[in-house]
Amino acid sequence: MEDETSSGIGSTSAASSSSKDGMTVEECQNMIRRSLQTPTVKFLMEHLKKGGCEISDNFIKADHCGDKISGGYVQGKGIVICSNHLTMQDEVSQVIKHELIHAYDECHAANLNWADCAHHACSEIRANHLSGDCHFKRELLRGYLKMRGHEQDCVKRRAMKSVKSNPYCSAAAAKDAIEAVWDICYNDTRPFDRAP
């Protein structure tokens, strides 16, 4: 993601475009409710519940964030959507899908450790690939005009930005981790049968 950072606890996603003021927490909460009705978000939520993952009523909540991020998954707590850095329904839905993949990974991996660069890299690869963050149209809107191989380049670029922001991972460690887990994690499409 273009302005992606990591808290070291979970990971965060940045908006492809963000305004200075964004929206209110209440407006964002309404957009979260609408996102919860979309097919992909419903599918991911159902698979979290089927897997025995704890999902409270406020698992996904809007908040005002200090960092220039659009949201993040906080280990053991849920997903925060940063209302002040988002302006559109599509952005909110996209962040939710991305962060739900992180929640799924944490719930289904017996030993996921966000401080481990390879673990973080794997979840970022999966989240960027499976959420649709790197679909051609999104990349085109970001100004990336590559016709062939854009999706994998995007997944690597966005994963790199996030993992190297992890306080436990240097840029070199992030690059090595992404390369080491790429084939396994990029091809792991769970809970989907194939990448959406």
Side-chain angles (χ1 to χ4, degrees), residues 183-194:
D183 288 337
I184 291 168
C185 300
Y186 185 81
N187 291 306
D188 179 358
T189 62
R190 291 172 299 147
F192 302 99
D193 292 332
R194 58 184 172 76

Side-chain angles (χ1 to χ4, degrees), residues 118-181:
H119 290 197
H120 187 177
C122 188
S123 192
E124 285 300 335
I125 289 166
R126 284 177 34 76
N128 283 297
H129 178 51
L130 300 175
S131 68
D133 284 336
C134 291
H135 283 172
F136 181 74
K137 184 174 81 171
R138 288 187 191 286
E139 278 290 87
L140 196 60
L141 291 171
R142 291 181 191 117
Y144 292 96
L145 305 173
K146 186 174 179 183
M147 296 302 285
R148 298 188 125 217
H150 78 275
E151 203 267 350
Q152 290 188 9
D153 287 352
C154 170
V155 170
K156 284 179 183 175
R157 183 185 75 244
R158 294 168 71 84
M160 179 67 181
K161 195 151 199 151
S162 181
V163 178
K164 76 178 184 181
S165 296
N166 182 330
Y168 299 99
C169 304
S170 66
K175 185 176 188 287
D176 290 346
I178 290 165
E179 287 176 10
V181 302

Side-chain angles (χ1 to χ4, degrees), residues 28-46 48-49 55-62 79 81 89-90 92-97 99-100:
C28 189
Q29 203 63 51
N30 286 332
M31 288 189 184
I32 290 169
R33 279 193 279 282
R34 285 194 287 279
S35 294
L36 290 172
Q37 302 308 310
T38 62
T40 304
V41 171
K42 281 173 124 174
F43 176 84
L44 289 167
M45 292 290 284
E46 285 170 15
L48 280 167
K49 290 175 188 171
I55 308 247
S56 63
D57 288 342
N58 64 346
F59 184 74
I60 303 172
K61 63 181 179 237
I79 296 168
I81 306 299
Q89 180 67 51
D90 180 65
V92 172
S93 296
Q94 195 59 42
V95 173
I96 290 171
K97 288 186 279 187
E99 301 307 333
L100 282 171

Side-chain angles (χ1 to χ4, degrees), residues 1-5 12-25 27-28 31 62-72 80-93 95:
M1 310 210 169
E2 300 318 300
D3 298 315
E4 195 166 307
T5 62
T12 56
S13 303
S16 56
S17 63
S18 54
S19 82
K20 197 164 89 174
D21 301 312
M23 64 180 109
T24 67
V25 169
E27 289 169 328
C28 189
M31 288 189 184
D63 202 355
H64 182 88
C65 302
D67 294 332
K68 191 172 180 182
I69 57 173
S70 56
V80 175
I81 306 299
C82 299
S83 61
N84 53 314
H85 299 298
L86 300 172
T87 58
M88 299 183 317
Q89 180 67 51
D90 180 65
E91 292 174 321
V92 172
S93 296
V95 173

